Amino acid sequence: MKLVPTLALAAALLGAGAAQAADWTVDPAKSRLGFTGSQAGSPFEGRFSRWTARIVFDPANPTAGTAVVEIDMASAATGDLQKDESLPQADWFDAKTFPQARFEATSFRPKGGNAFEAVGSLSIRGVKKDVVLPFTLDVAGPAAHAKGKLDLVRTDYGVGQGPWKAADMVALNVAVTIDLVATSKP
């Protein structure tokens, strides 16, 4: 299985519509931090059930925004028992040694309309890389809805060890997906 849960990136994206700098609270019941991949040519998707996001965003100054998303790697689930039992193991996420993945956005860039990018880093299995998460943001009053997708190569983060390093069974390309609902704090 291949998962590059990076996750959390998307959470940082939520705050673009407030009238001034604001902290944003993500609603986990209405939000999803997921991933997609392909095994033996068949696509699959999954999600992380446990993660947190801290987001500060000012639409008048998006480059000053920040976000931190921490993901419990043992919470990955695809609905397939074999994948779900394997993902936390040493060949994949090694959740005992590296219990959390972390996305940290150090700024946001407006791309026109409701399109933005979260600029920062993603750490999985102790490997930290610079990333840019593209997303769309729709704001209605104090509520915001962000959707985005970050394409990754799982082996760049050490996901898939031993015989799983090759792409013959599990594709190297994976995507982290976000669908987040948040409200601004007063």
Side-chain angles (χ1 to χ4, degrees), residues 138-153:
D138 295 303
V139 179
H145 182 204
K147 293 179 83 170
K149 180 176 105 169
L150 177 64
D151 293 316
L152 303 170
V153 175

Side-chain angles (χ1 to χ4, degrees), residues 9 14 28 35 55 62 66 90 107 109 117 129 132-133 140 154 160:
L9 291 170
L14 295 176
F35 53 87
I55 303 165
T66 62
S107 69
R109 292 191 292 231
E117 292 178 335
K129 296 202 169 281
V132 176
L133 171 66
R154 64 178 174 82

Side-chain angles (χ1 to χ4, degrees), residues 2 15 35 37 40-41 71 77-78 84 92 107 109 112 116 134 148 157 171 174 186:
K2 64 185 207 166
F35 53 87
I71 303 162
T78 64
D84 294 349
W92 295 99
S107 69
R109 292 191 292 231
F116 293 85
Y157 294 89
V174 297

Side-chain angles (χ1 to χ4, degrees), residues 7 11 22 41 51 59 78 87 91 114 120 139 141 153 160 164 175 178 180 186:
L7 35 61
W51 51 276
T78 64
L87 285 173
D91 281 348
N114 70 340
V139 179
V153 175
W164 302 107
I178 62 161
L180 305 174

